[in-house]
Amino acid sequence: MTENSKNVEDNLGSGIACPLPLTDYKNVLLAHGGGGKLTHQLIHKIFLSQFQNKWLDSLHDGAILPMNGVRLAFTTDSYVIDPIFFPGGDIGQLAVNGTVNDLAMCGAKPLYLSAAFVIEEGLAMEELWRVVVSMQAAAKEAGVFLVTGDTKVVDRGKGDKLFINTSGIGVVAEKVNIDPKRAVVGDQIIVNGPIALHGIAIMSVREGIQFGTKIESDTAPLNGLVHRMLEVCSDIHVLRDPTRGGVASSLNEIAESANKGIMIVEDVIPIDEEVRGACEILGLDPLYVANEGKLLAFVPAEKAQAVLAAMRAHPQGKESVIIGEVVDDHRGKVLMRSRIGGSRVVDMLWGEQLPRIC
Amino acid sequence: MRYVDEYRDGAAAQRLADRIRAITTRRWNVMEICGGQTHTIVKSGIDSLLPSEITLIHGPGCPVCVTPLEMIDKALAIASRPDVIFTSFGDMLRVPGSSKDLLSVKAQGGDVRMVYSPLDAVKIAQRNPERKVVFFAVGFETTAPANAMSVWQAKKLGLKNFSILCSHVLVPPAIEALLSSPSTMVQAFLAAGHVCTVMGYEEYIPISAKYKVPIVVTGFEPIDILQGVYLAVKQLEEKRYEVENQYSRSVRREGNRAAQQLIHQVFEITDRKWRGIGEIPMSGYRLRQEFSDFDAELLFEVANIQAEESPLCIAGTVLQGLKKPHECPVFGKECNPEHPLGAPMVSSEGACAAYFHYAPIRTRQEA
């Protein structure tokens, strides 16, 4: 036996020592903004440890603030998308719809938005104009007003064309109580149409991976749809828009908050053919790809069919479908029944979703 | 999706699972070599369809996991240089070296870019003549033709600013290393369909004969894998050992001669260190002498970088099926998906990570 093969054998016996990922980073990584576990760590270790208070601690899409007998919903979000114009939308439309949707996911009727612009020196005035026109159109469609704002211009090279922050307030109707902790066993989980459109649309125009496709972002305001759903059933338990991190991350967050198990069924999750094809080629899992016009609703079983019917009658919910339910098993985890009848854990994303070699 | 959905059909999968159950009379350990197959097995829950007598052992066929630590350190050293654009397949970016990973280098100002093809890296080199563009050429025989093509094309274009950091590994020597260990538990192999698409399967015939072990060239969809398991178990039950080709829609006996020719023009076979396993003789590719101008290891003088691996993990015994992941003393404690100590805990497809996620559920069902 040669010295080499002896070593190999010893190591096979004693173990393959392998990558030791670093979780305590000295610098902020892109993955800290990816919506997965690193984002979770950043929020908990850095932000929550300082900002802790009873309104923030629910970690909902927005804060619910009781005030003189009215419950206000308050939320904020920043938009840093590259490119700023993409198939199916632009940064302005996204900035309005995103904040409108965050309010809607609190069960609130969105009313007023602020808009703050961080503009890189040199941005074409025509591009800024197109974004602003698009924001106004989106606000009109959602029935909200942009009532206050701010503008900053930074040196060329110190920003990426245009960043927009929007904050919004809305009012939560009486009886409505949306909270991830309220998911209970038997709740039916509804999604309002095909997933993963936004993320794949953006990826299809990024440098380095252009591919010919007609896939468009699904960016849309969901407040009209939510309003209709709450009319049919004011007791909807949970609403969540699965933006970055996708459906898988949202479901994991809810399973963890409620300490319940979630079982979804691969076969019924709506995914467009072209999106499936793109995901196959890029080695991505559509469950982790971002959406901008989708919601997940956890509805009491006896109301599920009525809510589903109402959703299907609404323009934003024509392709709504039940994709799973809350179960009294594997608490805090999400499982999926695969197309071939097996089951697997749908875990939270650890960092950014990276295409695989093999 | 045509040509894919046929291989993910639930009824067909159930029929195959029934056929496997019908011929299985005793315990068998079958290893799937390739990380892509492991991915399908975990993603589709194939384990849960198979009879309990059949254990699938997840093999070392994940290029991300077997790229040696010092090679990652070399990549980090090169990527940190201000004159370099470092390009890589996506999933190498998160693999930690001794102190950090490529994503951290990017966060600290390094120009690290993800590409889908090494030929895109060549284009980046053409567009940035003032920068040095390096591609991290890792992988098995599957990625070798495209990686060889990038070097061949760069030479043809007369590019002076393109090079590759080469850490290619080969499957057959790894199978031999596993089989020659006297303690091995592996009784049959599913060989990697994509590797065989390039290389053919002639080189597996003597291995199968020498070690009396069935080898089934297998594809990557759920039905492929179930068929591969069926053929392997059938051979074991009938006491046969030969090379069979389940993936005949893609693999020919002789492979893709044009791709092989390109590989041999650019690369030559060399001893290669595998992360955690050690050096396996004649188990990798390096650039031939006439392409040494494209060898990033020489150009950036990183050939001498050395690194020490962590000694805690028992992944070697897990990979041979000698121990189950939860029998490891550090499983779920010092070693978990967020702080993995070994390859099988790194990605969600690894044996240890799969056990980590499923264990509480399985335990409850058994109780």
Side-chain angles (χ1 to χ4, degrees):
Chain A
M1 184 181 283
T2 66
E3 191 56 37
N4 269 340
S5 60
K6 179 78 175 67
N7 281 341
V8 167
E9 195 187 293
D10 285 352
N11 280 323
L12 282 170
S14 64
I16 289 183
C18 212
L20 180 65
L22 313 165
T23 43
D24 297 319
Y25 291 89
K26 279 191 184 149
N27 299 74
V28 174
L29 302 185
L30 263 183
H32 280 112
K37 278 187 182 160
L38 281 187
T39 306
H40 196 77
Q41 275 181 14
L42 188 74
I43 289 173
H44 283 263
K45 287 193 179 162
I46 302 288
F47 297 122
L48 281 186
S49 67
Q50 284 299 313
F51 298 160
Q52 205 170 27
N53 59 60
K54 64 178 178 183
W55 300 282
L56 178 61
D57 289 350
S58 74
L59 289 181
H60 205 355
D61 281 326
I64 307 293
L65 310 168
M67 223 165 265
N68 303 329
V70 177
R71 282 181 301 158
L72 281 185
F74 179 39
T75 189
T76 189
D77 209 334
S78 298
Y79 298 83
V80 294
I81 195 158
D82 169 40
I84 60 174
F85 298 96
F86 48 83
D90 59 72
I91 189 171
Q93 199 181 347
L94 207 61
V96 171
N97 289 340
T99 294
V100 163
N101 291 348
D102 280 349
L103 290 170
M105 296 310 121
C106 302
K109 176 182 163 58
L111 297 171
Y112 305 108
L113 264 53
S114 70
F117 298 84
V118 178
I119 308 167
E120 187 185 13
E121 178 187 25
L123 177 70
M125 198 61 83
E126 186 267 337
E127 290 194 319
L128 181 60
W129 174 248
R130 277 165 64 198
V131 168
V132 170
V133 168
S134 166
M135 286 179 81
Q136 177 52 27
K140 196 173 172 199
E141 187 187 348
V144 297
F145 295 92
L146 289 153
V147 294
T148 183
D150 178 53
T151 308
K152 297 282 187 294
V153 178
V154 296
D155 290 335
R156 193 187 283 270
K158 299 268 171 74
D160 193 3
K161 282 192 162 184
L162 178 62
F163 300 151
I164 302 177
N165 171 277
T166 52
S167 298
I169 53 174
V171 174
V172 185
E174 235 177 301
K175 286 192 205 160
V176 172
N177 185 11
I178 309 288
D179 186 338
K181 291 190 180 62
R182 290 191 66 217
V184 294
V185 175
D187 275 2
Q188 299 293 295
I189 304 167
I190 308 176
V191 67
N192 65 318
I195 64 165
L197 287 161
H198 177 74
I200 297 296
I202 298 301
M203 216 169 284
S204 73
V205 290
R206 286 245 168 103
E207 196 200 356
I209 33 178
Q210 289 100 338
F211 48 91
T213 166
K214 295 191 283 291
I215 299 168
E216 293 198 338
S217 168
D218 57 347
T219 177
L222 297 171
N223 54 327
L225 176 65
V226 169
H227 180 72
R228 186 69 198 106
M229 291 161 69
L230 289 169
E231 276 180 353
V232 176
C233 173
S234 61
D235 191 32
I236 290 174
H237 292 154
V238 187
L239 290 170
R240 185 61 67 95
D241 56 340
T243 53
R244 65 179 178 183
V247 168
S249 301
S250 290
L251 291 177
N252 269 288
E253 283 163 15
I254 296 165
E256 194 184 312
S257 291
N259 194 27
K260 296 286 187 301
I262 288 178
M263 178 60 96
I264 55 175
V265 181
E266 184 173 24
D267 250 351
V268 298
I269 298 170
I271 305 173
D272 285 353
E273 277 295 279
E274 261 197 279
V275 171
R276 275 184 66 196
C279 285
E280 286 289 332
I281 291 165
L282 299 175
L284 301 175
D285 186 337
L287 286 174
Y288 296 93
V289 175
N291 307 278
E292 286 293 342
K294 292 295 161 325
L295 62 78
L296 297 164
F298 285 55
V299 182
E302 66 278 10
K303 292 281 188 165
Q305 288 307 324
V307 171
L308 190 62
M311 290 173 76
R312 285 179 174 165
H314 191 277
Q316 300 299 346
K318 277 186 231 138
E319 294 174 80
S320 297
V321 62
I322 295 174
I323 60 165
E325 64 180 345
V326 179
V327 294
D328 190 17
D329 194 14
H330 55 264
R331 288 192 174 190
K333 288 190 189 297
V334 180
L335 260 68
M336 179 161 83
R337 179 139 5 263
S338 75
R339 198 164 277 123
I340 64 159
S343 66
R344 67 148 158 144
V345 171
V346 177
D347 199 8
M348 194 119 160
L349 209 56
W350 189 78
E352 278 186 295
Q353 192 173 210
L354 297 172
R356 293 179 304 124
I357 296 178
C358 64
Chain B
M1 215 180 330
R2 282 187 65 197
Y3 310 120
V4 172
D5 285 345
E6 297 88 327
Y7 298 97
R8 296 178 185 174
D9 180 64
Q14 203 54 58
R15 280 198 301 276
L16 271 167
D18 291 344
R19 282 170 67 190
I20 294 168
R21 191 168 291 110
I23 60 167
T24 304
T25 63
R26 46 160 291 192
R27 301 189 74 84
W28 298 112
N29 297 319
V30 180
M31 173 179 279
E32 87 279 1
I33 282 289
C34 174
Q37 291 168 334
T38 307
H39 185 84
T40 302
I41 288 167
V42 179
K43 195 171 168 188
S44 303
I46 288 175
D47 299 52
S48 60
L49 292 183
L50 292 176
S52 58
E53 290 90 343
I54 304 216
T55 305
L56 291 179
I57 302 172
H58 309 313
C62 164
V64 174
C65 299
V66 300
T67 301
L69 190 59
E70 57 253 40
M71 197 55 86
I72 311 280
D73 285 355
K74 288 172 189 176
L76 296 170
I78 296 171
S80 301
R81 293 172 56 122
D83 55 340
V84 164
I85 299 174
F86 195 89
T87 59
S88 167
F89 292 130
D91 49 3
M92 286 306 293
L93 299 181
R94 205 160 46 206
V95 179
S98 299
S99 64
K100 56 186 171 186
D101 60 16
L102 283 165
L103 286 176
S104 305
V105 171
K106 181 167 182 260
Q108 286 157 10
D111 192 344
V112 177
R113 302 185 192 180
M114 183 180 79
V115 291
Y116 276 82
S117 158
L119 299 178
D120 290 341
V122 175
K123 281 185 205 146
I124 293 173
Q126 281 181 284
R127 282 203 302 269
N128 297 276
E130 75 294 352
R131 309 275 304 277
K132 293 170 182 159
V133 176
V134 181
F135 177 71
F136 200 176
V138 296
F140 286 86
E141 293 91 326
T142 333
T143 51
N147 292 351
M149 179 59 94
S150 73
V151 174
W152 190 83
Q153 209 179 65
K155 185 163 188 168
K156 198 175 137 208
L157 291 166
L159 289 181
K160 301 281 179 226
N161 65 329
F162 177 80
S163 60
I164 65 170
L165 181 61
C166 180
S167 186
H168 263 288
V169 281
L170 302 171
V171 169
I175 292 187
E176 281 226 59
L178 283 164
L179 285 172
S180 58
S181 164
S183 51
T184 187
M185 300 265 291
V186 181
Q187 292 160 302
F189 284 95
L190 305 185
H194 291 163
V195 168
C196 295
T197 303
V198 176
M199 304 305 289
Y201 54 83
E202 282 163 349
E203 53 190 332
Y204 296 86
I205 294 169
I207 299 176
S208 172
K210 181 176 171 189
Y211 296 97
K212 300 186 170 38
V213 60
I215 300 178
V216 182
V217 179
T218 304
F220 297 84
E221 294 299 329
I223 298 294
D224 289 323
I225 290 174
L226 284 163
Q227 272 176 353
V229 171
Y230 173 76
L231 292 172
V233 171
K234 195 155 186 292
Q235 284 199 43
L236 289 167
E237 290 283 350
E238 293 171 359
K239 299 191 171 56
R240 287 184 294 124
Y241 46 88
E242 54 197 74
V243 178
E244 280 184 286
N245 183 12
Q246 180 278 331
Y247 201 37
S248 56
R249 67 182 185 280
S250 175
V251 174
R252 282 170 298 165
R253 183 186 168 104
E254 72 281 7
N256 181 335
R257 292 280 193 219
Q260 290 165 23
Q261 212 176 2
L262 180 65
I263 292 172
H264 293 136
Q265 270 175 19
V266 176
F267 293 127
E268 61 191 5
I269 289 178
T270 181
D271 299 346
R272 179 68 72 197
K273 194 169 168 185
W274 293 53
R275 192 166 196 172
I277 296 179
E279 190 165 281
I280 302 179
M282 314 295 276
S283 71
Y285 285 135
R286 68 167 171 229
L287 284 167
R288 286 185 178 278
Q289 185 64 39
E290 54 266 44
F291 290 94
S292 58
D293 290 350
F294 299 91
D295 190 338
E297 250 187 294
L298 302 176
L299 294 177
F300 297 97
E301 296 170 350
V302 292
N304 292 326
I305 290 180
Q306 297 292 328
E308 287 292 320
E309 311 250 12
S310 153
L312 278 174
C313 145
I314 63 153
T317 53
V318 172
L319 284 179
Q320 294 176 92
L322 296 173
K323 280 201 172 156
K324 294 284 181 195
H326 62 272
E327 289 163 6
C328 169
V330 293
F331 174 81
K333 296 172 191 137
E334 291 93 330
C335 183
N336 60 59
E338 278 180 58
H339 299 268
L341 296 181
M345 191 62 98
V346 172
S347 74
S348 56
E349 297 95 60
C352 296
Y355 262 76
F356 183 87
H357 294 304
Y358 276 97
I361 298 155
R362 289 219 170 119
T363 319
R364 189 153 56 238
Q365 279 166 352
E366 283 160 13

